Amino acid sequence: MHTTVGIIGAGPAGLLLARTLHRAGVDCVVLESRDRAHVERRQRAGVLEQSTVDALRAVGAAGRLDREGLVHDGVELRWEGRAHRVDFPSLANGRRVRVYAQTEVVKDLVALHLADGAALRFGAEARSVDGADTGRPTIRYTQGGRDRTLTCDYVVGCDGFHGVARAAFPEGIRRTYARAYPYAWLGILADVAPSCDELVYAHSRRGFALHSMRSPEVSRLYLQVPHGTDPADWPDERIWDELDARFARDGWELARGPITSRSVLPMRSSVTEPMRYGRVFLAGDAAHIVPPTGAKGLNLAVADVVVLGRALIRHRTTGASDLLDAYSDTCLRRVWRAEHFSYAMTTMLHTDPAGSPFDTRLQIAQLDRIADSPHAAAELAVNYTGLPLP
Ligand code: APR
Ligand code: PHB
């Protein structure tokens, strides 16, 4: 089987790229190792930048998002008994964010793609990508217990941090920059109305906590926990008691409800350069990982495929390869900005187990500065709401 663009992975990056290309008449095939139910229920991020909303709308995938997404004009920071709201429109040129779960973005894109009869193959696990430096890169994959081959004009690895596409880049070409963090997040979904209208990021000497939401009826919360934490060691009451301690603020109470899901998320930063080798491209988590504190992972994936989709369509319709040749550099500028912002938010808000009281005082000084300086608050607001797409 042959296609113009072979896409590995049906997460947000692969699905949005496929829809973009399909609507432009560029032939593509998506190979996804898991089944549809697994892909659609994976709990991930929940904050969309305006650029991400615009990109979904551009491919006709923002209908439910417009109806059900929650528009947020700010976030609250809490520390040392203080609380400070960072307002987005006044500090970030009118920009705001939308709270809408990644699971819903994926469901919307899958439904549209399948409704169009586009080539989206579940249970199709890519084993290797060969011939990256030839005019005919090839994906070898298994589906239905059989080994299969997909020859392509281009291959795009949208297969996440654990994918196979990166291995198509020769060792001497590929450079990976990474940082591990000495903690993780325990994330929960609870059937209880959010106790706040906007997200609350809490620094506490017991550890970081985040209050987000999925709808007016469902709360999404996170607790900093040690590496290797087993969710089974955290029964409901222990979770709620710890969240109470970390969010503590006079006159504010955290509502409790049944916890319907709990999982531990690792924290890491990672960037692979370049994001292209020959006719093989990387997009989204396949190329870069950010700690979730800055809510950048989904938005970076979308930005990559907006740039790549534009470049592939230009090349197929005009023969010009200028945008394709610039893809990696164009995306990496934005990626490194988001990497720094995510690192800065993470180290400002989390309690390092090996940290000293001096480190804690530095964190408090950073948070005080955001509350006291419109310039410092604007830097957070502009990065959080996202820089305009290239
Ligand atoms: N063959 C086929 N599919 C694969 C393979 C493989 N060898 N390896 C991984 N996949 C699939 C995964 O099952 C997953 O559906 O690739 C997809 C990668 O999707 P994501 O990990 O969601 O990555 P991406 O689309 O870049 O979206 C980034 O997702 O993980 C979050 O925090 C991240 O919000 C960010 C967003
Ligand atoms: C979420 O709602 O899942 C979420 C929100 C903000 C973050 C991380 C996760 O920084």
Side-chain angles (χ1 to χ4, degrees), residues 44-47 185 199 201 210 212 214 220 222 292-293 295 384:
R44 289 286 202 279
V47 173
W185 277 12
L199 273 62
Y201 288 77
L210 170 59
S212 183
R214 287 293 176 266
R220 175 70 162 159
Y222 300 93
T293 324
Y384 194 96

Side-chain angles (χ1 to χ4, degrees), residues 9 11-13 31-34 42 44 102 124 126 158-159 284-285 297-298:
L31 301 177
E32 166 54 52
S33 55
R34 310 304 294 264
R42 257 186 325 222
R44 289 286 202 279
Q102 179 173 315
C158 298
D159 47 354
D285 275 17
L298 170 57

Side-chain angles (χ1 to χ4, degrees), residues 113-351:
H113 214 51
L114 293 178
D116 279 359
L120 169 49
R121 291 176 170 69
F122 291 104
E125 180 174 4
R127 298 290 190 183
S128 68
V129 177
D130 304 320
D133 54 352
T134 70
R136 212 115 174 108
T138 300
I139 304 173
R140 301 191 189 289
Y141 68 101
T142 56
Q143 187 179 28
R146 285 181 47 210
D147 291 343
R148 303 166 191 255
T149 298
L150 176 66
T151 59
C152 314
D153 294 342
Y154 294 98
V155 171
V156 183
C158 298
D159 47 354
F161 184 72
H162 302 289
V164 299
R166 265 198 315 276
F169 291 30
E171 286 291 334
I173 296 285
R174 189 174 75 222
R175 299 179 304 281
T176 298
Y177 305 85
R179 168 186 286 272
Y181 296 87
Y183 33 74
W185 277 12
L186 171 62
I188 66 167
L189 277 177
D191 281 345
V192 60
S195 301
C196 45
D197 296 332
E198 296 174 331
L199 273 62
V200 177
Y201 288 77
H203 171 281
S204 92
R205 293 165 193 252
R206 302 173 65 96
F208 169 77
L210 170 59
H211 191 321
S212 183
M213 64 282 291
R214 287 293 176 266
S215 72
E217 297 78 30
V218 178
S219 294
R220 175 70 162 159
L221 296 116
Y222 300 93
L223 275 172
Q224 174 188 338
V225 292
H227 258 315
T229 290
D230 181 350
D233 294 341
W234 284 80
D236 290 22
E237 190 170 357
R238 182 185 179 193
I239 291 174
W240 290 118
D241 289 347
E242 190 60 34
L243 286 167
D244 272 344
R246 297 187 188 186
F247 283 119
R249 183 187 175 197
D250 293 346
W252 184 84
E253 188 176 345
L254 178 62
R256 300 189 177 197
I259 293 174
T260 56
S261 101
R262 77 196 72 208
S263 58
V264 172
L265 298 73
M267 302 282 275
R268 65 168 67 93
S269 299
S270 173
V271 179
T272 294
E273 294 185 359
M275 292 172 58
R276 173 201 187 172
Y277 175 70
R279 287 183 171 234
V280 177
F281 297 81
L282 303 177
D285 275 17
H288 40 71
I289 296 289
V290 286
T293 324
K296 288 297 154 199
L298 170 57
N299 296 296
L300 277 180
V302 167
D304 288 350
V305 299
V306 166
V307 174
L308 185 53
R310 188 189 302 153
L312 286 166
I313 291 165
R314 176 172 167 79
H315 183 246
R316 295 302 295 177
T317 52
T318 70
S321 61
D322 54 337
L323 296 185
L324 278 179
D325 296 341
Y327 167 71
S328 184
D329 287 345
T330 301
C331 289
L332 284 170
R333 267 194 296 278
R334 185 185 181 86
V335 165
W336 278 111
R337 172 85 307 273
E339 288 284 349
H340 179 268
F341 174 67
S342 303
Y343 163 80
M345 284 284 280
T346 299
T347 52
M348 177 175 72
L349 289 164
H350 289 69
T351 302

